[in-house]
Amino acid sequence: MKTRQIIIVSLLIMVSCNSDRERKQAAREKEPAINVEVPPFNADSAYHFVRQQVTFGPRIPNTKAHQEAGNFFVETLKRYGAQITIQEFQQENFDGLVLNLKNIVASFNPDKTKRILLAAHWDTRPFSDKDKQKPSEPFPGANDGASGVGVLLEVARVLANNKLPEVGVDIIFFDGEDWGEREGQQRSHPLPDGLQEWWCLGSQHWGRNKHKPNYSAFYGILLDMVGAKNAQFHREGYSMQFAPSIVKKVWDHAHRLGYSHAFVRQTQTGVTDDHLFVNTLARIPMINIVHFEPGIGYFGDFHHSQRDNMDIISSETLGIVGTTVLNVIYYER
Ligand SMILES: [Zn+2]
């Protein structure tokens, strides 16, 4: 009788030990192996940075609003203690117009050799060619352009006010991403030597002429259209082709943080965006976090239309993306 009781008790202990071990194991799988204090991302501040850009007016190359916004980024990033490199260049567009363009690079922890590159484009497309009523008019570009830059300005503000991550961080605002041919337009003007697309002029220029000779980064993350209400981000095709482990890393962090509704583990086709030229010309593996809407496709129905204004911007989405990016860079050893 006694012996039997002892056996049952020890069995119970074994069972409870086992389930305890399983629980700990499950917790370990959810959490990365190291425990890191990640400073908070302020979504309201990111929203403010988006609105501020829209207030300048569409940031169309060769306009006053473009000039003013560019100056504002440089001043703000300098104030946040970043080392700034400005890359000015001219590029003819598909209409033969010479665009005065400016890539802005802000480096934190400039002496660290292991670096993470974060990027967004800061220019606005000069016409809303998907808009049925006003296809020739400019549009605010709240999501297309300003949202990615807004998130990265807030990342810069967080870096300025907290202990820096263990890796170096370079933030690049690419110019001239969005002056590609009009919707449905045939390519009339042949591409000049060295240019692969009329889109992504800033990243193509940077990919061939990096701001520092021999510059490289461990990997890069591009943000494009990361501010819409209830936005979803699917695994973009070129990101999966060139940097699948970085996609996994970023999506894993997002899921651990509770953002599985936004970072969906489904793979879609590739999109021509700045990350493509960072991958192919600069040879730095870079992923793209870019709006994808089930039933509509990439970018959503407000894309390149008058509807791309502050009404569609959500601080919650900006917070989801910004918090994920901050976790990725602070967990990096
Ligand atoms: Zn665009």
Side-chain angles (χ1 to χ4, degrees), residues 46-322:
Y47 184 92
H48 171 78
F49 282 131
V50 177
R51 194 172 49 200
Q52 207 154 5
Q53 292 170 77
V54 170
T55 306
F56 283 118
R59 283 76 60 215
I60 300 167
N62 299 359
T63 66
K64 187 160 164 269
H66 183 263
Q67 186 73 40
E68 286 174 349
N71 293 342
F72 166 74
F73 300 143
V74 172
E75 279 161 27
T76 305
L77 292 164
K78 267 190 192 156
R79 195 153 40 84
Y80 291 155
Q83 193 181 80
I84 308 290
T85 314
I86 300 170
Q87 196 175 47
E88 287 184 279
F89 62 104
Q90 290 189 319
Q91 177 63 58
E92 211 175 295
N93 83 338
F94 68 86
D95 271 339
L97 182 69
V98 176
L99 307 179
N100 298 300
L101 303 173
K102 193 191 280 187
N103 291 330
I104 299 165
V105 187
S107 299
F108 292 88
N109 265 343
D111 299 330
K112 296 269 183 184
T113 45
K114 184 170 177 180
R115 313 198 62 75
I116 311 299
L117 169 59
L118 306 174
H121 77 88
W122 70 275
D123 61 304
T124 315
R125 185 164 181 76
F127 31 76
S128 50
D129 47 336
K130 285 187 180 173
D131 196 284
K132 296 218 165 54
Q133 273 81 44
K134 298 175 174 173
S136 308
E137 305 242 324
F139 62 102
N143 204 31
D144 196 355
S147 65
V149 170
V151 167
L152 294 184
L153 285 173
E154 172 58 13
V155 166
R157 195 195 64 79
V158 171
L159 294 181
N161 290 296
N162 293 278
K163 187 174 169 281
L164 285 167
E166 296 211 349
V167 290
V169 177
D170 300 297
I171 294 175
I172 306 190
F173 294 161
F174 287 124
D175 203 352
E177 189 273 340
D178 228 349
W179 206 316
E181 297 101 326
R182 286 181 187 84
E183 215 37 41
Q185 183 180 343
Q186 295 298 314
R187 187 168 289 166
S188 51
H189 205 67
L191 283 159
D193 271 354
L195 212 60
Q196 298 179 17
E197 291 280 351
W198 291 116
W199 304 92
C200 305
L201 301 176
S203 53
Q204 290 188 73
H205 180 82
W206 183 82
R208 292 189 308 266
N209 316 274
K210 284 182 249 175
H211 66 290
K212 274 184 187 166
N214 304 319
Y215 171 85
S216 195
F218 192 45
Y219 59 84
I221 302 172
L222 177 68
L223 308 181
D224 200 1
M225 292 168 255
V226 291
K229 287 186 186 104
N230 305 315
Q232 283 188 14
F233 310 105
H234 289 216
R235 300 183 301 198
E236 184 270 342
Y238 292 127
S239 309
M240 291 303 280
Q241 183 184 332
F242 291 105
S245 65
I246 309 308
V247 175
K248 182 178 186 307
K249 186 198 289 269
V250 173
W251 261 243
D252 283 353
H253 273 288
H255 281 235
R256 173 179 62 81
L257 293 161
Y259 306 145
S260 56
H261 58 290
F263 284 79
V264 178
R265 286 193 177 117
Q266 277 189 45
T267 303
Q268 308 294 345
T269 54
V271 290
T272 300
D273 206 341
D274 291 320
H275 71 309
L276 179 59
F277 303 101
V278 174
N279 276 299
T280 57
L281 298 175
R283 307 228 169 248
I284 295 168
M286 187 182 224
I287 70 158
N288 192 6
I289 301 179
V290 56
H291 187 103
F292 182 90
E293 214 157 307
I296 292 176
Y298 277 112
F299 320 136
D301 55 7
F302 41 76
H303 185 239
H304 293 175
S305 85
Q306 295 297 322
R307 289 186 50 223
D308 184 359
N309 57 46
M310 285 312 288
D311 293 348
I312 64 161
I313 299 297
S314 137
S315 59
E316 193 191 339
T317 305
L318 297 169
I320 286 171
V321 174

